[in-house]
Amino acid sequence: MVGLGMIGGGVAVSLATSGLVPAVYDIRPTAADGLPGVPAPLGSPAEVAAASDVVMVAVVDAAQAREVIGGANGLLKGARPGLTLVLLATVELPVVRELAAACADAGVGFLDCGVTPGDRAAENGMVAILGGDQDVVDRALPVLDGWARKVVHCGPLGAGMATKIARNVVTYGGWRTVAEAVALVEAAGVEPARLTEVIDTADPGGTTLLQLLRLRTAGEGALPDALADKIEPLMAKDLDAARALAAELGVPVPLVDVARAHARQTLDRQPAERQPADRQTADRQPADRQPADRRTFDHQTADRQTLDQQAEPAGDARARGLRLMDQVYGPGFSSTLPEATEPYLDETVEHLFADIWSRDGLSVRDRRLLTLGVGASLGRADLIRVQARGALHNRELTPDQLREAVLHLAYYVGWCNATAAQQGIADAIADVSPTKDIR
């Protein structure tokens, strides 16, 4: 065992408990103190390799992994024929391939092995998430069984690390979800403990987090059509409600925005196709009724779709455009438009906002920054004002960031045009600051 931190030290204790007393190394001479059954560290990784058939490597990062495996006194210096190295550190896949190649050149087997949960390492409580050749796995299995609660061979070299990285995405993505949810309830005057109570009571086993994965597995890789038909409108409705609450309370919820924008893809739906307004008829077959073999996800196709088109029937371009205008310019902006239709306004709402501002390729904030640049280049304080006001309402930019943007733009659009930009931003700050804390 090389590395006696929380994970490596725990693995060493579990091995000792299983009767497989390991040879160990750590840069700290006293690292084994307090680890039951674990002997004092040897003088180098090379000495550990010379005394072992299987060596686990639990270090912090790629640089440390390179050093303990291929360094001057690294494991490969003391390796004997048939030695197997098992990398427990989470590193990028190119590093896995690099280290595996170095081991292959030395006649040493190599496995990438993600582990979880780290705090159960000393209790034979971790899952070993393996990538590598089956014969190498078979050689290492008796040792792996000595410290792992379960060994999962995910596939060839790199598969274990890819699975561990994906598992981390679920963990940290879940944390971000919780952070946004807590921000919402706190802004609404609710104690976060009440949210915890609701979730713990409704889902004590935490099964909801992996429900989509299990449903996909049951549906042979995709959600069954009938189930997706039921979930999609509920998902769109609930995420829209979350975004509306966030807008009302001034709480940024970028993960909610992304979840809403990609709702159809999440449910294995093909993004809805755009049509000219005069072809959007009531009898058009909705995209979510297409045969299952056509519901494949293509990133280039997705980039051409609008946020709300992904979850709405065709023919609702005006409502979609009005909602986007409220998102861009602030709540209630669409209500200021005249009720009578005019060709210019119709095209602005039903095409510019429904089809262009809502495309997936750029966020509203990205498009706003581009539009601010155009307004500055034209010296249009009025255009700058309305865009800056929307940015402040949505908390996309602070007043100081907008002021900094004016200085940046001045060097590109000239001082005279920048003066107009400065005036527009000053007006926007004055418009919003009396009604909203925008510091």
Side-chain angles (χ1 to χ4, degrees):
M1 182 74 238
V2 173
L4 296 176
M6 180 182 74
I7 290 176
V11 168
V13 170
S14 289
L15 286 170
T17 302
S18 301
L20 300 171
V21 179
V24 301
Y25 170 79
D26 192 280
I27 195 171
R28 302 163 297 159
T30 60
D33 294 355
L35 298 178
V38 179
L42 299 179
S44 70
E47 292 182 32
V48 173
S52 307
D53 296 315
V54 178
V55 179
M56 275 66 61
V57 178
V59 292
V60 174
D61 55 26
Q64 291 185 3
R66 291 185 179 103
E67 179 63 25
V68 300
I69 291 175
N73 292 303
L75 290 163
L76 296 183
K77 295 296 183 183
R80 298 179 291 107
L83 177 70
T84 298
L85 302 188
V86 183
L87 179 65
L88 307 186
T90 302
V91 298
E92 296 180 1
L93 291 186
V95 177
V96 169
R97 291 189 282 268
E98 171 195 332
L99 296 174
C103 288
D105 290 344
V108 171
F110 183 89
L111 298 173
D112 55 281
C113 180
V115 293
T116 188
D119 59 357
R120 300 290 302 279
E123 307 166 20
N124 294 77
M126 292 197 300
V127 178
I129 310 166
L130 288 180
D133 293 341
Q134 185 64 55
D135 60 333
V136 183
V137 173
D138 292 341
R139 292 201 304 268
L141 195 56
V143 175
L144 298 174
D145 283 338
W147 58 264
R149 176 165 58 93
K150 184 177 181 64
V151 176
V152 180
H153 185 197
C154 298
L157 184 72
M161 202 62 63
T163 305
K164 172 60 189 304
I165 290 170
R167 195 273 191 242
N168 288 348
V169 169
V170 173
T171 298
Y172 299 126
W175 287 6
R176 177 62 210 177
T177 302
V178 170
E180 292 190 12
V182 169
L184 272 179
V185 295
E186 285 185 325
V190 180
E191 287 289 333
R194 300 288 74 79
L195 176 63
T196 302
E197 180 182 356
V198 169
I199 294 172
D200 282 345
T201 304
D203 186 20
T207 57
T208 301
L209 184 64
L210 295 179
Q211 188 174 17
L212 176 63
L213 182 59
R214 294 191 176 102
L215 290 171
R216 279 179 171 173
T217 301
E220 299 182 353
L223 285 180
D225 290 353
L227 184 58
D229 286 344
K230 293 178 180 179
I231 295 174
E232 183 181 345
L234 297 174
M235 183 176 182
K237 172 184 69 69
D238 291 346
L239 290 172
D240 281 342
R243 293 171 68 206
L245 178 62
E248 177 184 344
L249 299 174
V251 176
V253 285
L255 192 63
V256 174
D257 291 337
V258 170
R260 179 61 177 86
H262 296 280
R264 290 185 62 82
Q265 292 95 317
T266 299
L267 299 176
D268 305 312
R269 296 297 206 183
Q270 186 178 36
E273 297 178 359
R274 288 216 313 266
Q275 289 187 351
D278 59 357
R279 294 182 56 202
Q280 292 177 340
T281 58
D283 60 352
R284 176 180 178 270
Q285 184 183 22
D288 59 355
R289 302 295 182 182
Q290 293 173 356
D293 58 59
R294 290 187 60 198
R295 289 209 265 111
T296 57
F297 176 56
D298 181 299
H299 287 281
Q300 292 180 345
T301 301
D303 284 344
R304 296 196 298 268
Q305 310 307 316
T306 69
L307 184 151
D308 289 287
Q309 282 170 331
Q310 294 173 14
E312 294 179 356
D316 203 14
R318 186 169 187 83
R320 184 170 62 248
L322 291 173
R323 280 198 300 274
L324 228 297
M325 293 185 87
D326 284 341
Q327 183 180 347
V328 172
Y329 296 129
F333 180 88
S334 62
S335 64
T336 66
L337 297 178
E339 293 185 6
T341 60
E342 300 176 5
Y344 170 76
L345 286 178
D346 289 347
E347 191 70 7
T348 299
V349 173
E350 297 173 18
H351 178 59
L352 177 60
F353 282 90
D355 291 342
I356 304 303
W357 269 87
S358 56
R359 286 167 61 91
D360 280 350
L362 296 171
S363 68
V364 167
R365 184 180 187 273
D366 295 336
R367 296 181 190 278
R368 190 188 307 285
L369 289 169
L370 292 170
T371 308
L372 283 169
V374 173
S377 70
L378 297 173
R380 291 287 302 276
D382 55 334
L383 297 180
I384 293 289
R385 181 179 186 176
V386 71
Q387 288 294 338
R389 190 164 52 204
L392 293 169
H393 270 298
N394 290 345
R395 296 182 183 268
E396 298 166 359
L397 296 166
T398 66
D400 285 344
Q401 287 173 326
L402 287 168
R403 294 181 184 111
E404 182 66 25
V406 173
L407 178 60
H408 181 81
L409 287 167
Y411 288 92
Y412 291 88
V413 304
W415 232 253
C416 292
N417 284 337
T419 300
Q422 170 67 23
Q423 184 60 54
I425 283 174
D427 290 342
I429 293 171
D431 291 340
V432 176
S433 57
T435 61
K436 192 170 190 177
D437 181 2
I438 56 170
R439 291 171 292 178

